[in-house]
Amino acid sequence: MRVLIITGAGVSAESGIPTFRGKDGYWRNLDPIKLATPEAFARDPELVWQWYRERRRRISNAQPNAAHEAIANLAHCADEFLLVTQNVDDLHERSGLTKAEMVQIHGDIFVSKCSRCDFEQEQEQNQNGVPRCAKCDALMRPGVVWFGEPLPLRETQRVEKYLQRDPCGVVIVAGTTATFGYIIDWALRASRRGGELIEVNPEETPLSRFATRLVREPAALALPRIVDEFISSR
Ligand code: OAD
């Protein structure tokens, strides 16, 4: 069985990481949708860093939940497997997926990158204020994709390669509002030859009408059951 999984913030919600668009996502009355932008960083880099530092702390203290574990189990028994996650946390990795099994299409919150040159580094401990680039002295920024920015080419190429090779028998899209066209496009292309397209989300999304199966439940409840079904039907 060839499998593609696509995840979003809803999969980490039950680990206590706030989603972007839910009311819990607000931070000091600020809308994350507005904070996660190049404009917000240009206006107030210190504020944007404070928000990301708080998210890093929260993620470091969080644990993978049953949804992450179920996805890692599926990876171990699928013939071919790829996870595409919009999440910048490390909970999929900590549940046992290797970097080769996943694409973090919106980057990695524990990486900092230069806002001008190509310098990158892993999280600095106890960092304060706005860090500067060791190479060119420009402001460092979190290593994530912000609204309006292009996706990292190397990562989109990995997804394209996986999709081009063969269609998938099973595609699961969990915990995402699927607001970005590329998420819907990848899910549809992967399931193009009659593969199952399962959506796991308590709410309707733009992807819902294309799904062959809708599971309107929290991911940590639904995914272990769905994965068990697949494993026992093999
Ligand atoms: P959102 O915050 O937009 O959406 C979270 C989705 O998860 C919603 O559709 C919820 O209904 C669903 N949800 C909430 N709790 C859930 C649970 N326990 N189980 C399953 N589903 C649940 O997050 P994303 O769709 O991931 O990008 O957002 C996509 C991107 O927009 C993010 O990666 C980020 C954001 O701006 C960038 O920063 C570029």
Side-chain angles (χ1 to χ4, degrees):
M1 181 181 46
R2 190 159 205 270
V3 177
L4 175 72
I5 313 263
I6 301 178
T7 61
V11 163
S12 293
E14 288 157 277
S15 293
I17 315 294
T19 60
F20 281 84
R21 291 174 181 79
K23 55 179 179 349
D24 298 343
Y26 271 69
W27 175 75
R28 297 187 192 165
N29 285 330
L30 298 169
D31 183 351
I33 304 290
K34 293 190 183 130
L35 277 172
T37 62
E39 291 75 24
F41 187 71
R43 204 179 315 121
D44 195 343
E46 172 63 34
L47 180 75
V48 172
W49 264 114
Q50 281 175 16
W51 179 55
Y52 277 99
R53 260 184 235 126
E54 191 170 309
R55 281 186 78 91
R56 280 178 172 180
R57 254 197 310 274
R58 202 186 259 263
I59 292 164
S60 299
N61 291 330
Q63 296 303 325
N65 64 53
H68 298 103
E69 310 285 352
I71 291 169
N73 284 342
L74 187 54
H76 295 146
C77 67
D79 299 318
E80 280 187 272
F81 177 93
L82 187 69
L83 167 74
V84 177
T85 185
Q86 299 163 85
N87 298 344
V88 296
D89 63 49
D90 59 355
L91 297 178
H92 281 298
E93 207 179 335
R94 281 202 266 141
S95 72
L97 283 189
T98 65
K99 292 252 188 218
E101 290 168 324
M102 60 186 274
V103 171
Q104 275 188 296
I105 202 69
H106 290 164
D108 176 347
I109 197 171
F110 293 111
V111 168
S112 303
K113 65 183 184 187
C114 179
S115 56
R116 187 196 297 153
C117 76
D118 59 1
F119 182 71
E120 275 191 10
Q121 66 185 169
E122 287 282 313
Q123 173 187 25
E124 270 179 56
Q125 294 302 322
N126 307 319
Q127 169 210 70
N128 265 318
V130 180
R132 287 194 169 265
C133 175
K135 238 165 103 180
C136 78
D137 205 40
L139 299 185
M140 293 292 277
R141 53 165 282 181
V144 300
V145 175
W146 282 331
F147 283 103
E149 293 186 320
L151 297 177
L153 187 62
R154 213 176 2 168
E155 304 307 311
T156 49
Q157 282 172 344
R158 288 182 58 211
V159 181
E160 289 296 333
K161 225 171 120 189
Y162 190 72
L163 293 184
Q164 278 162 15
R165 216 161 44 228
D166 276 309
C168 295
V170 181
V171 179
I172 303 175
V173 182
T176 176
T177 42
T179 31
F180 298 116
Y182 47 86
I183 297 299
I184 297 183
D185 176 54
W186 289 336
L188 293 183
R189 278 166 56 208
S191 58
R192 64 189 177 270
R193 296 257 180 81
E196 260 216 89
L197 174 50
I198 304 173
E199 178 175 70
V200 178
N201 197 316
E203 314 233 332
E204 191 177 341
T205 78
L207 184 79
S208 302
R209 67 194 182 94
F210 301 108
T212 57
R213 182 171 164 195
L214 293 168
V215 185
R216 296 263 172 261
E217 285 173 352
L221 189 68
L223 278 170
R225 198 180 63 234
I226 294 170
V227 169
D228 280 350
E229 277 172 27
F230 278 113
I231 294 176
S232 57
S233 72
R234 276 163 56 88

